[in-house]
Amino acid sequence: MLKGKHIILGISGGIAAYKSVTLLRLLIKAGAEVQVVITPSGKEFITPVTLSALSGKPVISEFFTANTGEWHSHVDIGLWADAMVIAPATASSIAKMANGVADNMLITTYLSAKAPVFIAPAMDLDMMAHPSTKRNIELLKSYGNHIIEPAEGELASHLIGKGRMEEPEEIVKYLYRFFASQQALKGKNVLVTAGPTYEKIDPVRFIGNYSSGKMGYAIAEEAAHRGANVTIVSGPVSISTSTPNINIIKVESAREMYEQCVKIFPNCDYAIMCAAVADYAPAKYIDIKIKREKEDVPVIKLVKNPDIAAKLGAIKRPDQTLVGFALETNNEENNALEKLHRKNLDMIILNSLQDSGAGFGKDTNKITTYFSNGKKLEYSLKSKVEVAKDILDSIITK
C-alpha cells in the first residue's frame, strides 16, 4: 500500500526525533518516496545528514538556502505528497498547526498540504494533559487530521504517563490501514441521505425537525476523499460540500427523497441513510395561508410517509450494503436492533439524545454501531468529521 507513495515526514524538536530515523527507514523500505521537512529545533536532536542519507533527498528546514538563495516551495511540496506524517509533533508545533502560526517551513508545508495529514504527538505527560494541548488536538481533528495517539510509558522526564510518541512500526501500520481503506471505496458508488425533510401544511408552514445535515455531509465528504463516487440526496440545509465531485440532489419532502433514493439505489454499492426523514405528512395541503384569526383551531390529519430505508432493504441485493441511523430518546439499543432487522439493514448507527454533545445541530456526535451479524462497536464523543471516518471504516470492514 505504501509502494510509490509520496510522503512528507515532518520532524519537530523533541527527544522522540530519534524514532523518526527508524520511521524514515521503514517508509523507504516499504517503497515510499519520502521528503523530510524538519524544524530548526528538530536539527538539535537529529542531523539532516543522517536523514538525507536514508531518504536520498536533501532535507528541507529553511524557506531558502542561505548561500545560494534557492527557494523551497512549501506549496509545491504540499501538492506533491500523498500523505504528510508529523512525528514527533511537539506541543508547540501542534499549537502552531491548530492556529495557523506559519513561522517555519514545517508549519507552512502543513498549511499547504492537500493530502491527508497524520500527527503523532510526543511530549511530557503534564503538557499532554494541559487543557490548551487537548483543545489544540481537538481542533486538528476537526480540520480532518488524523491523530496517532501517544502511548503511555516512561517519558524523557522519567515520569510515567501518556506522551510517548507511538512506535514507528505502529505508525507505518496506521498508514497501511489508511491507504487500504482508501482503496476499498475507490470507484464505488455511494448514496448518502442528509438533513431533514419538510412536509408542507400551507405555503408558509411545515412539519420538520432540527437536523442540520452536518453528519450526512461529513460522511459524504469522507467517502469522496476515499475515492468514491458520491451522491447526496439532501433535504433543506444551510451547508454545502467543499469537494467538487460530490453530486447533490436537493429535495424537500420525504416523498421526494423516497423517489430519488429508489431510483439511485440499484446502481449503488453502499447507501447510508443519515437523513432525519419526517415519519408523517399532512394528509391535505392547504394552498392558502391558514389564518389564526379564525375562531376554530385547525385540525391537521397526518398520514405516514414512505419508509425509505425499509424500501431499499426490500430491494437490496447481496452485493450491496445498506446502513441506517436511529436517533432515540429511550430504550435505545432495543429500538435500534428492531430497526436493523425489520428494515433488512447491514448496519445501524445509534445516536441517543441522552448523550451530551450528540444529536441535532451539534458539531460532535457519539455513536454505537450494530451489525446484522451481531457485532457491536461503541465510540466516544468525537467531532462529526471523526465520526464519519469511524463509520466508513466500519462499513468497509463489516
Side-chain angles (χ1 to χ4, degrees):
M1 287 296 173
L2 297 182
K3 187 175 178 61
K5 298 294 185 187
H6 294 169
I7 296 177
I8 300 167
L9 175 57
I11 302 174
S12 58
I15 187 62
Y18 79 90
K19 290 184 178 181
S20 302
V21 177
T22 301
L23 176 58
L24 173 56
R25 183 180 62 80
L26 291 173
L27 292 172
I28 295 294
K29 186 177 180 181
E33 186 177 344
V34 183
Q35 175 62 65
V36 176
V37 180
I38 190 169
T39 65
S41 59
K43 292 188 292 184
E44 301 295 325
F45 293 90
I46 187 71
T47 68
V49 173
T50 300
L51 299 167
S52 179
L54 288 171
S55 68
K57 291 177 177 292
V59 172
I60 297 173
S61 179
E62 310 297 339
F63 293 108
F64 60 89
T65 303
N67 58 340
T68 66
E70 180 186 1
W71 176 257
H72 301 132
S73 173
H74 54 88
V75 175
D76 291 344
I77 299 169
L79 292 171
W80 168 83
D82 295 305
M84 182 175 188
V85 182
I86 302 170
T90 60
S92 175
S93 289
I94 286 171
K96 290 177 181 180
M97 287 188 288
N99 295 284
V101 181
D103 66 348
N104 64 51
M105 189 65 183
L106 175 56
I107 305 303
T108 55
T109 302
Y110 160 74
L111 292 172
S112 298
K114 304 299 182 186
V117 178
F118 302 83
I119 300 168
M123 65 198 75
D124 212 71
L125 74 164
D126 293 328
M127 299 173 74
M128 190 71 205
H130 196 277
S132 64
T133 303
K134 289 183 174 181
R135 181 203 63 195
N136 289 332
I137 288 175
E138 288 306 313
L139 272 175
L140 290 173
K141 286 180 180 179
S142 73
Y143 302 157
N145 296 294
H146 302 259
I147 304 298
I148 302 175
E149 291 289 337
E152 293 194 16
E154 185 176 357
L155 305 169
S157 63
H158 302 299
L159 297 174
I160 306 296
K162 184 175 182 179
R164 288 175 58 90
M165 186 181 106
E166 185 57 276
E167 296 303 317
E169 293 80 5
E170 294 304 313
I171 294 174
V172 171
K173 288 179 184 178
Y174 195 105
L175 293 174
Y176 267 105
R177 288 194 295 269
F178 171 79
F179 283 113
S181 72
Q182 303 298 296
Q183 286 294 115
L185 284 182
K186 191 171 183 179
K188 299 293 185 181
N189 296 322
V190 176
L191 167 64
V192 181
T193 63
T197 62
Y198 289 174
E199 313 302 326
K200 288 184 177 179
I201 298 171
D202 66 13
V204 299
R205 300 179 179 90
F206 61 86
I207 295 172
N209 57 61
Y210 298 112
S211 175
S212 65
K214 291 178 181 178
M215 191 70 256
Y217 274 70
I219 292 169
E221 293 272 6
E222 180 63 22
H225 291 159
R226 298 186 184 204
N229 305 312
V230 181
T231 297
I232 302 178
V233 179
S234 174
V237 298
S238 60
I239 58 176
S240 60
T241 66
S242 59
T243 305
N245 62 337
I246 295 177
N247 178 35
I248 302 178
I249 299 174
K250 295 185 177 181
V251 298
E252 186 170 272
S253 69
R255 174 64 64 178
E256 291 169 341
M257 186 173 283
Y258 173 87
E259 290 170 355
Q260 290 293 335
C261 289
V262 170
K263 181 170 68 174
I264 296 166
F265 181 64
N267 295 318
C268 290
D269 300 289
Y270 302 91
I272 306 168
M273 302 288 99
C274 191
V277 183
D279 293 324
Y280 303 98
K284 183 180 179 182
Y285 171 69
I286 309 299
D287 59 6
I288 59 173
K289 180 182 176 182
I290 300 169
K291 304 294 288 182
R292 93 170 173 172
E293 286 80 5
K294 290 185 176 181
E295 185 175 335
D296 296 332
V297 176
V299 175
I300 301 172
K301 182 180 179 182
L302 301 177
V303 294
K304 281 187 177 181
N305 274 324
D307 190 324
I308 301 171
K311 175 63 177 179
L312 300 190
I315 63 175
K316 175 169 67 80
R317 301 187 307 269
D319 64 324
Q320 293 178 297
T321 297
L322 180 60
V323 181
F325 271 70
L327 178 63
E328 302 293 340
T329 60
N330 63 294
N331 200 22
E332 291 93 337
E333 182 169 89
N334 287 342
N335 287 335
L337 289 173
E338 188 274 331
K339 288 181 182 179
L340 172 73
H341 299 299
R342 174 169 53 84
K343 300 186 182 188
N344 192 29
L345 306 175
D346 297 287
M347 291 169 50
I348 194 162
I349 314 296
L350 171 64
N351 306 125
S352 173
L353 288 181
Q354 302 297 325
D355 292 323
S356 177
F360 291 141
K362 305 282 199 320
D363 291 323
T364 55
N365 205 357
K366 185 174 184 292
I367 66 167
T368 303
T369 302
Y370 299 90
F371 300 79
S372 58
N373 62 7
K375 188 168 72 170
K376 172 183 174 181
L377 294 174
E378 293 185 79
Y379 300 90
S380 60
L381 184 71
K382 300 180 181 182
S383 72
K384 286 183 176 176
V385 172
E386 288 293 303
V387 172
K389 293 175 184 177
D390 289 337
I391 289 171
L392 287 172
D393 286 344
S394 62
I395 288 172
I396 63 179
T397 58
K398 65 177 177 59

